[in-house]
Amino acid sequence: MRAWLPFIFYFGLEMVLFVASDCWNRHPRWGERVTTVSFVVYVTAVMWLCLTPAHFSFLSAPKALFYFHGVPFNAIPFQGFSPEFFLNIVMTFPLGVYIFLFNYRTPFERAILYGLCFSLFIEINQFVWDYFLNLQRLADIDDLITNTLGAVIGFSLMIILYQNGWRKFLQRFMLTRAEIC
């Protein structure tokens, strides 16, 4: 049960922030509400995937790991490719979509930075919580790169769709204010 503390902590924090931000009332249109609620579900799913005990494992490429007080981490990028490599891109693809929907005027460089910060948050938390609670997670430089790439691909696709005939449809789901709840 102790190993679930990171997820419980961040889920509770997420719920407090969602309620305190009054997102539901600040974004009354149905499309905006779909965006905000699905973002909360997305973040919850990512936390569940990344901050709970690892009871499953995809076939991972063999990597030369480093250890800090028994906690493994990979600091050498691209030692091998595995399904996990591509699944990390898929996992953060929606983040790029949400970055666009929250503020479509976000500069491309800032979208890259948001993806990097989100990924760094995940990897640092995996390392720290594994140190304290033995989550059996691996902080991995490849994950940092592929998570950022996933966000960039999602953001880029939204720009392409917005500029090529999907503007009216996408505007239904865009937040009218350039703020994240």
Side-chain angles (χ1 to χ4, degrees), residues 150-170:
V152 168
I153 292 170
F155 187 77
S156 300
L157 179 64
M158 292 301 287
I159 290 171
I160 292 167
L161 291 174
Y162 189 76
Q163 293 174 346
N164 291 293
W166 289 82
R167 179 181 304 228
K168 190 169 180 101
F169 176 76
L170 293 175

Side-chain angles (χ1 to χ4, degrees), residues 87-154:
L87 290 173
N88 279 316
I89 294 172
V90 171
M91 179 181 76
T92 53
F93 178 88
L95 177 64
V97 172
Y98 287 116
I99 291 169
F100 182 87
L101 293 176
F102 288 149
N103 184 1
Y104 73 98
R105 293 185 183 123
T106 301
F108 193 76
E109 297 81 16
R110 191 169 296 161
I112 295 170
L113 182 63
Y114 291 156
L116 178 65
C117 289
F118 186 78
S119 180
L120 196 57
F121 174 80
I122 292 169
E123 297 306 313
I124 288 172
N125 271 280
Q126 286 181 334
F127 182 83
V128 169
W129 288 110
D130 192 51
Y131 177 77
F132 289 111
L133 299 175
N134 190 24
L135 295 181
Q136 299 181 7
R137 293 293 182 164
L138 175 67
D140 192 341
I141 189 72
D142 289 345
D143 293 353
L144 189 66
I145 295 166
T146 54
N147 289 344
T148 303
L149 181 60
V152 168
I153 292 170

